[in-house]
Amino acid sequence: MNMLSVPVSADDHMQGDAAAPVVLVEYADYQCPYCGEAFSLVQRLQQRFGDSLCVVFRNFPLVQSHPQALPAAITAEYAADHGKFWQAHDALFRNQQQLGELVYRELMRELGLPEDGLAAAMDNTGYLQRIQRDVDSGMRSGVSGTPAFFINGRMFQPQRSFEELYDAIVEAGGNPPR
């Protein structure tokens, strides 16, 4: 069983309390159709489990097969520098079929962020290094494709469907509110 090699920290993109009974770490690619499918499930899990679930997102762009994965990740990281990571993350997954410069510019307008700053971000090595840190941590943890999930530090690979995450979270100590 693969274990998460880089523990969750304040450097991560996190929704919820890192001390929650269940911490779900997802390595994902904004252009991956399976990640898009998992996106809506993770949102439902967050609603269902509330405070007993912390969700952490780490970038794992598969640039060979998804040419917009890296620009989308840079867009999300740029938004993160302005306190708007999760808004960008959600919008990128909701617009997964149209990813490209027009979507990124429109997203900047929606978030009230400077478009020229995003253009500069695309060439900023700091963003590339941040994304590469996520990729490296995923590779050290045994991630080879997306989405990849870790529940309380242990890799979880659904056998039939992403819906299996629900049972795995309950088993790990997540309590859905009644």
Side-chain angles (χ1 to χ4, degrees):
M1 169 94 31
N2 289 351
M3 300 297 291
L4 190 65
S5 69
V6 176
V8 171
S9 74
D11 291 338
D12 280 304
H13 301 298
M14 191 179 323
Q15 283 186 318
D17 185 349
V22 180
V23 177
L24 176 69
V25 176
E26 177 185 11
Y27 285 89
D29 168 328
Y30 289 106
Q31 200 173 8
C32 165
Y34 300 110
C35 295
E37 187 180 323
F39 164 70
S40 59
L41 172 66
V42 170
Q43 287 193 313
R44 289 194 314 273
L45 292 171
Q46 286 177 287
Q47 291 171 349
R48 189 169 285 164
F49 287 98
D51 292 341
S52 68
L53 178 65
C54 173
V55 172
V56 174
F57 180 89
R58 290 183 177 170
N59 294 290
F60 203 87
L62 301 171
V63 295
Q64 264 55 27
S65 50
H66 300 137
Q68 287 301 314
L70 184 58
I74 292 169
T75 299
E77 293 301 331
Y78 174 72
D81 276 354
H82 298 277
K84 299 189 177 190
F85 172 80
W86 289 103
Q87 296 95 316
H89 166 275
D90 294 359
L92 290 166
F93 275 119
R94 281 194 302 271
N95 293 289
Q96 188 179 57
Q97 301 301 318
Q98 295 84 32
L99 290 178
E101 189 175 338
L102 291 175
V103 167
Y104 309 142
R105 285 201 317 243
E106 177 60 30
L107 179 56
M108 292 304 102
R109 283 192 289 275
E110 287 174 19
L111 297 177
L113 301 177
E115 289 177 56
D116 57 340
L118 178 61
M122 291 294 168
D123 296 320
N124 183 321
T125 58
Y127 292 112
L128 293 173
Q129 289 169 348
R130 165 75 168 90
I131 292 163
Q132 191 60 50
R133 268 197 318 272
D134 282 356
V135 170
D136 291 346
S137 77
M139 291 174 66
R140 285 195 305 272
S141 299
V143 173
S144 59
T146 58
F149 296 101
F150 290 81
I151 298 174
N152 290 346
R154 294 171 121 15
M155 185 177 264
F156 175 76
Q157 295 176 300
Q159 300 304 305
R160 293 174 298 288
S161 79
F162 293 132
E163 299 289 334
E164 294 169 43
L165 274 170
Y166 177 84
D167 292 333
I169 289 169
V170 169
E171 195 174 298
N175 297 312
R178 301 206 187 283

